[in-house]
Amino acid sequence: MITTSGLTKVYRSRGREVTALDGVDLHVREGEVYGVIGQSGAGKSSLIRCVNLLERPTSGTVTVAGQDLTALAGRGPRAGRELRQARSRIGMVFQHFNLLSSRTVQDNVELPLEILGRSGKERSRKALELLDLVGLADKAKAYPAQLSGGQKQRVGIARALAGDPKVLLSDEATSALDPETTRSILTLLRDLNRQLGLTVLLITHEMDVVKSICDSAALMEHGRVVESGTVTDLLATPGSELASALFPVAGEASGDNRTVLDITFQGESATQPVISQLARTYNIDISILGAAIDTVGGLQVGRMRIELPGRYEDNVVPIGFLREQGLHIETVEQTEPAQQTQQVDRAPSALVKEEAK
Ligand SMILES: Nc1ncnc2c1ncn2[C@@H]1O[C@H](COP(=O)(O)OP(=O)(O)OP(=O)(O)O)[C@@H](O)[C@H]1O
Ligand SMILES: [Mg+2]
């Protein structure tokens, strides 16, 4: 539904150049909720603004629903019209809602339809239908100042849906909201995604957002996508930073001469019996150093960090046993004491991991 290819954006201001996007290839499939995550300045907003051509890419292409938007941008009045039309099929939701304070809720939702030249009757019918969809049917005549943050964002979402978009873009739509309101807005986005078959590309800096509603995710660093895929595939990817950030498991080895393993499992995988079976079969003491279990897209996934006595070489057979049970195993290399202080400040994902051979 959305494809960017070699997307690059260089800002030039006061003789300085900032490369905000550095060859981004993104593939968002129809009907999925796709999360883009990354630190401040990574280029997330630039990406979303280039996807709907609010920002002109320096190079590369953006295709939405099979239409190459970059080919339309800035090529005369006719192409301009086509671009405006294509853009009206892409809804956009903002962090600070961007509602017009002098207009009622209904008039805010009608705004995109006015721009599209729809009749008053049609605008009103559509706006009321959308307000009903987002649970604000009774607020049509209210003004934005009379609404809570969550209600304002519902108006923002209703307005974004006015042009019957196939794609909804959202830039930190929940970061100005409290946790409970965040959950209700995320649930609304998920419901719209399912009911309307809407493809959602959202930007967030919160892993919980990715965990609760995203089918796929990409991690951005310095204008590049460094990891991407479906959340379940990422969880099974050795050394995936996104997976470690989604399911952080902490826990240091209790001493020298120990092997620490991270086990990733999905679905109904009965990890607990496997661990006790391992202990019985090889007569070893196993300690669980940490665990994180959650539900992603209705599927149970988790990680567990365990410690076995002895070095890696001593544990090749038990590790092979775990693998045979269909579990995904990574060894966690223990750090030298000198480096340990430095690591305290870093994310668990910063631990050096290497897939066990
Ligand atoms: N209009 C602009 N002019 C010049 N530089 C810009 C402009 N917009 C963004 N940048 C720069 O481009 C880089 C990427 O910015 P962008 O806003 O895309 O990051 P972001 O990932 O959305 O960050 P945040 O999480 O803080 O919103 C930053 O270095 C930023 O300073
Ligand atoms: Mg941003």
Side-chain angles (χ1 to χ4, degrees), residues 161-348:
L161 296 176
D164 291 322
K166 293 182 93 63
V167 169
L168 190 71
L169 308 179
S170 154
D171 192 350
E172 305 272 11
T174 58
S175 26
L177 306 173
D178 62 65
E180 200 179 316
T181 313
T182 292
R183 263 192 303 280
S184 80
I185 293 292
L186 293 177
T187 305
L188 174 63
L189 288 176
R190 192 46 159 168
D191 289 348
L192 293 171
N193 156 259
R194 296 217 172 115
Q195 278 172 27
L196 310 175
L198 196 65
T199 305
V200 180
L201 175 61
L202 63 86
I203 283 174
T204 181
H205 60 269
E206 294 164 282
M207 279 294 166
D208 276 349
V209 172
V210 176
K211 238 189 231 180
S212 58
I213 66 163
C214 293
D215 302 299
S216 298
L219 173 66
M220 284 192 78
E221 279 174 16
H222 309 297
R224 292 174 192 215
V225 170
V226 293
E227 266 184 38
S228 64
T230 65
V231 174
T232 41
D233 281 351
L234 287 167
L235 282 171
T237 304
S240 162
E241 266 194 61
L242 267 173
S244 311
L246 280 169
F247 296 95
V249 282
E252 294 283 320
S254 59
D256 291 340
N257 207 23
R258 298 278 196 278
T259 301
V260 177
L261 304 174
D262 275 355
I263 302 174
T264 307
F265 54 94
Q266 291 180 14
E268 294 299 296
S269 173
T271 318
Q272 212 60 48
V274 171
I275 303 284
S276 49
Q277 208 180 336
L278 179 75
R280 272 201 313 275
T281 309
Y282 298 98
N283 194 26
I284 45 177
D285 288 326
I286 299 165
S287 324
I288 294 174
L289 301 176
I293 300 170
D294 223 313
T295 307
V296 174
L299 190 73
Q300 198 189 41
V301 289
R303 291 188 154 217
M304 185 182 285
R305 181 167 292 183
I306 62 169
E307 183 187 67
L308 311 180
R311 297 187 178 281
Y312 176 76
E313 304 83 77
D314 308 324
N315 284 303
V316 173
V317 176
I319 290 170
F321 169 86
L322 289 172
R323 289 255 157 92
E324 276 167 24
Q325 312 304 309
L327 296 173
H328 180 81
I329 312 293
E330 286 171 61
T331 57
V332 180
E333 284 191 1
Q334 294 306 300
T335 49
E336 298 302 318
Q339 290 174 3
Q340 237 154 22
T341 37
Q342 188 194 339
Q343 280 212 329
V344 171
D345 302 333
R346 298 171 68 185

Side-chain angles (χ1 to χ4, degrees), residues 85 87-93 103 105-119 122-131 133-134 154-168 192 196 198:
Q85 232 151 41
R87 230 194 237 145
S88 74
R89 309 275 292 168
I90 305 174
M92 177 91 177
V93 183
R103 284 181 160 231
V105 161
Q106 181 178 343
D107 289 347
N108 266 284
V109 178
E110 285 190 23
L111 188 63
L113 299 168
E114 276 175 48
I115 294 167
L116 289 172
R118 304 285 165 78
S119 75
E122 196 192 337
R123 292 198 311 256
S124 163
R125 185 193 53 80
K126 185 77 189 179
L128 293 174
E129 178 192 309
L130 288 169
L131 286 171
L133 188 66
V134 301
R154 283 171 192 268
V155 178
I157 292 169
R159 181 187 53 191
L161 296 176
D164 291 322
K166 293 182 93 63
V167 169
L168 190 71
L192 293 171
L196 310 175
L198 196 65

Side-chain angles (χ1 to χ4, degrees), residues 341-357:
T341 37
Q342 188 194 339
Q343 280 212 329
V344 171
D345 302 333
R346 298 171 68 185
S349 58
L351 284 174
V352 183
K353 285 184 188 173
E354 197 182 87
E355 196 187 2
K357 281 145 230 123

Side-chain angles (χ1 to χ4, degrees), residues 38-46 48-49 95 171-172 203 205:
Q39 294 195 331
S40 185
K44 307 180 297 296
S45 295
S46 300
I48 220 162
R49 292 173 64 83
Q95 178 178 359
D171 192 350
E172 305 272 11
I203 283 174
H205 60 269

